[in-house]
Amino acid sequence: MGNPVDSQVEFYLKQAQQFSRARIYDEAIAQLDRLLQHQPSSYVAWFERGKAYYGLRQYDRTIESLKEALLLKADYEPAWNLQGLSLAQLDRYAEAIFSYDSVISLRPTNYKAWYNRANALLRLESTYEALHSYEETLKLKPNYTKAWYNRGIVLTHLKRFEDAIESYNQALNIRPHFSAAHYNQGNLFCHLERYKEALKSYEQVLAIRPDLYEVWYNYANVLYRLGWHEGAIESYNQALRLNPENDQVWHSRSIVLNRIRQQKDAIARFDT
């Protein structure tokens, strides 16, 4: 006959995991607290408790539970990873990096740990180190769209604009409707004065997200630079329908209207 204490512990754990999967985190924690009264040395229970608190966005309590799990099992990779994510949520990025480094030391092929490490380094503006971690991520998982996208952001910070465009291309090859990648790519084309390519990128965004006023605004600015003033006005109008209080859009629109009037006056004087 099995040990009744072990059976009770197993019951509490299964109940807690079911509640967590259903996102009923308070009940999951209650079950885990009962389990830990019977078996305080269960590192899995402490980890599951941390996961439940993470689901509740109570990150300090998450970290408290994960520390208990790691005291019991220092090489428990999932606890290190979740601790890193929790610390990052609290803007404690240097500590988060230590947690991700612990994951990587246990399993160097954990691409998510490399990716999370890169994100934390990016937050700390350690751009070269972040780039290295994104590239390690992509060696392990070449089709990781978010890593290609974030790599593009880092390369833009480093003013490696052509490389950034190529990184966004890689993201878009995997996920063609990734509107943020199209948008960032459009901004880079605009910065490089490759205006027709910028238009195509902004059009891709607007086909997916026509409700973004800032894209209509940038689209209008590019049309203006290409001398397509009527189209620019139409796009500024669309931006203002979405965000009528934006002074910058009103100002840019007035500049283009003045330019159109000047052109009409010049044509009228030429005809007379």
Side-chain angles (χ1 to χ4, degrees):
M1 185 173 177
N3 187 328
V5 174
D6 290 342
S7 299
Q8 192 71 12
V9 164
E10 188 177 341
F11 171 78
Y12 287 141
L13 181 59
K14 285 183 177 177
Q15 285 286 100
Q17 290 171 333
Q18 287 174 3
F19 281 127
S20 283
R21 281 193 291 272
R23 300 187 180 183
I24 309 171
Y25 297 117
D26 288 325
E27 284 297 328
I29 291 164
Q31 293 293 329
L32 291 162
D33 285 345
R34 292 186 187 103
L35 187 162
L36 288 164
Q37 286 175 1
H38 290 282
Q39 196 176 91
S41 62
S42 172
Y43 68 89
V44 173
W46 284 110
F47 172 69
E48 291 291 338
R49 189 173 185 267
K51 274 175 63 179
Y53 275 120
Y54 189 86
L56 291 171
R57 301 184 182 182
Q58 295 183 27
Y59 303 116
D60 285 315
R61 289 193 165 188
T62 301
I63 292 164
E64 288 171 9
S65 289
L66 295 173
K67 282 182 176 176
E68 293 294 333
L70 290 165
L71 282 172
L72 293 162
K73 187 171 174 59
D75 63 348
Y76 193 40
E77 181 188 323
W80 282 114
N81 195 58
L82 187 58
Q83 182 172 266
L85 293 170
S86 303
L87 289 162
Q89 290 287 350
L90 297 171
D91 298 338
R92 292 161 60 181
Y93 298 113
E95 294 170 85
I97 290 164
F98 177 82
S99 291
Y100 300 136
D101 284 344
S102 298
V103 177
I104 291 164
S105 69
L106 292 166
R107 185 159 64 97
T109 57
N110 187 322
Y111 72 90
K112 286 188 177 179
W114 281 108
Y115 175 72
N116 291 333
R117 182 180 191 272
N119 291 344
L121 286 162
L122 183 57
R123 290 284 191 169
L124 293 174
E125 299 182 358
S126 299
T127 47
Y128 288 103
E129 288 184 76
L131 179 61
H132 169 73
S133 289
Y134 285 129
E135 289 179 345
E136 289 298 317
T137 306
L138 291 163
K139 285 178 190 174
L140 296 165
K141 191 169 178 67
N143 65 342
Y144 199 14
T145 311
K146 289 181 180 178
W148 283 114
Y149 174 77
N150 286 1
R151 181 176 179 269
I153 292 171
V154 172
L155 290 165
T156 301
H157 285 318
L158 294 172
K159 301 189 186 304
R160 290 170 53 184
F161 301 125
E162 295 293 346
D163 290 336
I165 288 168
E166 179 54 30
S167 205
Y168 291 130
N169 277 337
Q170 292 290 341
L172 290 165
N173 285 338
I174 302 161
R175 186 176 152 196
H177 300 296
F178 193 176
S179 60
H182 283 298
Y183 181 66
N184 285 4
Q185 198 171 58
N187 291 343
L188 284 170
F189 284 136
C190 192
H191 178 77
L192 295 171
E193 299 182 1
R194 291 160 59 178
Y195 295 126
K196 289 186 179 178
E197 290 170 276
L199 282 184
K200 288 179 182 176
S201 291
Y202 293 140
E203 284 165 1
Q204 291 287 341
V205 182
L206 292 169
I208 302 161
R209 293 288 308 277
D211 58 331
L212 297 175
Y213 88 89
E214 62 267 34
V215 185
W216 284 106
Y217 176 68
N218 288 0
Y219 188 65
N221 289 339
V222 173
L223 289 169
Y224 172 62
R225 289 188 177 98
L226 289 169
W228 301 344
H229 296 157
E230 297 292 344
I233 291 297
E234 289 176 15
S235 294
Y236 286 132
N237 288 344
Q238 185 61 35
L240 288 167
R241 288 187 196 102
L242 295 166
N243 188 356
E245 306 300 322
N246 191 290
D247 292 336
Q248 189 176 29
V249 181
W250 282 109
H251 177 71
S252 297
R253 182 177 179 275
S254 68
I255 290 171
V256 179
L257 284 171
N258 285 335
R259 180 60 60 89
I260 291 170
R261 289 190 195 100
Q262 289 168 5
Q263 288 177 339
K264 287 181 178 177
D265 289 346
I267 291 167
R269 284 196 298 271
F270 181 79
D271 290 341
T272 55

